Amino acid sequence: QVQLVESGGGSVQAGGSLRLPCAASGSTFRFSTMGWHRQVPGKQREWVASLLSDGTTNYDDSLKGRFTISRDGAKNTLYLEVNTLKPEDTAVYYCYAYVSSKFYWGQGTQVTVSS
């Protein structure tokens, strides 16, 4: 059973930064892919970034440069650092992991950016 728990969300002003941890049950290195999505109420969940098991990172083109995905293997934790936040970044951010042909999701953490 895979459990993912996000945290680190909150309310920030535009231009601010946040780091969102996603704590996994067990080693993160067993996942072929980990990453983040976000969702605004009433809209589809959109992919933000991913980290492959070989360390390759990928980002949505519109977010590249402001968002950074990383992993601390010793802490079994995936991170999403978000900088220069904009009001349109307001969303629930979800961590996911993919292993053995299954996707696993966390419960999400709310990020609210005010102008």
Side-chain angles (χ1 to χ4, degrees):
Q1 183 70 16
V2 175
Q3 291 186 328
L4 302 171
V5 180
E6 304 96 330
S7 60
S11 297
V12 296
Q13 290 196 328
S17 299
L18 284 174
R19 189 175 74 156
L20 308 179
C22 170
S25 56
S27 172
T28 58
F29 291 103
R30 63 193 166 126
F31 303 122
S32 58
T33 303
M34 295 189 76
W36 293 88
H37 279 66
R38 66 183 185 182
Q39 187 169 24
V40 176
K43 295 188 177 181
Q44 282 193 327
R45 192 173 293 192
E46 62 175 358
W47 172 74
V48 171
S50 63
L51 174 64
L52 305 185
S53 57
D54 65 359
T56 301
T57 57
N58 295 287
Y59 299 92
D60 179 273
D61 284 343
S62 67
L63 304 175
K64 197 177 297 184
R66 294 195 299 121
F67 286 42
T68 303
I69 189 171
S70 63
R71 170 175 53 198
D72 185 331
K75 295 182 178 180
N76 297 333
T77 300
L78 181 76
Y79 296 97
L80 182 70
E81 184 168 344
V82 293
N83 298 306
T84 319
L85 281 159
K86 304 176 181 180
E88 52 264 41
D89 294 321
T90 295
V92 177
Y93 285 72
Y94 295 92
C95 167
Y96 72 90
Y98 180 74
V99 61
S100 300
S101 302
K102 291 183 180 179
F103 279 98
Y104 298 88
W105 295 88
Q107 83 290 346
T109 186
Q110 175 71 47
V111 173
T112 303
V113 184
S114 58
S115 57

